[in-house]
Amino acid sequence: MILRLLLAALILALASCSLPSTQSRISKHGAMYSRLSPEHRQMVANGNITEGMSKDAVFLAWGSPSEIYQLEEDGSEKERWIYTSTRPTHETHVGIGYGIHPRYQRWGYDGCIYRGMPRTSYVSERVAMVVFSGGKVESWERRQGEP
């Protein structure tokens, strides 16, 4: 019985650590959502954006960007929001080695092929970008299924 309670507590704790979704952002920022036009509210609820949307609408639809850049293009001030994601990469090194073998304590072990420990590293990659001009969406791009 105690084990079941501990397991249930662990599941609830892990569930509370999940990334915020569009619906949770909408419920958390209801006043911001209600200020949007009906068309933009519908798009935000579906996690989509379109030209002319405000920064608030993009935030509600896609969340906080990973990076924000201020730039000047064609004589006008623009802002670029970059969304990134990380993905794991796996490497295992394989080679032919000579050296002191820990078991035999001798130099070399007849060209023994060794295999290194697998290593996982995480690579950050851009998954979406939004360009604002005058505080409204001018253009955007995103990888299929993101953010």
Side-chain angles (χ1 to χ4, degrees):
M1 181 65 177
I2 293 175
L3 183 60
R4 286 184 184 173
L5 288 174
L6 288 175
L7 184 60
L10 178 64
I11 290 171
L12 285 173
L14 291 175
S16 68
C17 295
S18 65
L19 295 175
S21 67
T22 301
Q23 295 305 317
S24 66
R25 283 190 298 274
I26 289 171
S27 63
K28 191 174 189 178
H29 303 281
M32 185 187 298
Y33 182 71
S34 65
R35 287 192 298 266
L36 302 177
S37 70
E39 177 187 326
H40 287 180
R41 277 197 300 260
Q42 182 63 39
M43 292 196 74
V44 165
N46 294 327
N48 296 317
I49 66 170
T50 189
E51 276 186 46
M53 275 188 160
S54 66
K55 293 177 186 179
D56 288 345
V58 174
F59 162 75
L60 290 170
W62 287 3
S64 297
S66 304
E67 303 170 38
I68 298 176
Y69 295 99
Q70 304 292 329
L71 54 133
E72 187 175 322
E73 205 173 87
D74 301 328
S76 64
E77 297 284 323
K78 297 188 180 188
E79 189 169 287
R80 181 177 293 152
W81 287 11
I82 306 290
Y83 292 85
T84 59
S85 178
T86 56
R87 66 176 172 80
T89 60
H90 307 284
E91 299 175 347
T92 300
H93 298 282
V94 177
I96 298 175
Y98 286 94
I100 297 175
H101 191 281
R103 184 170 178 189
Y104 302 114
Q105 295 297 315
R106 65 183 177 99
W107 183 259
Y109 40 96
D110 301 326
C112 179
I113 295 178
Y114 69 88
R115 180 174 175 206
M117 294 294 292
R119 184 177 74 180
T120 301
S121 57
Y122 293 87
V123 177
S124 180
E125 58 188 12
R126 186 174 84 179
V127 294
M129 177 185 71
V130 183
V131 177
F132 296 94
S133 181
K136 303 289 182 188
V137 173
E138 178 181 275
S139 64
W140 76 95
E141 65 181 45
R142 74 175 173 177
R143 193 169 61 188
Q144 187 70 28
E146 299 287 345

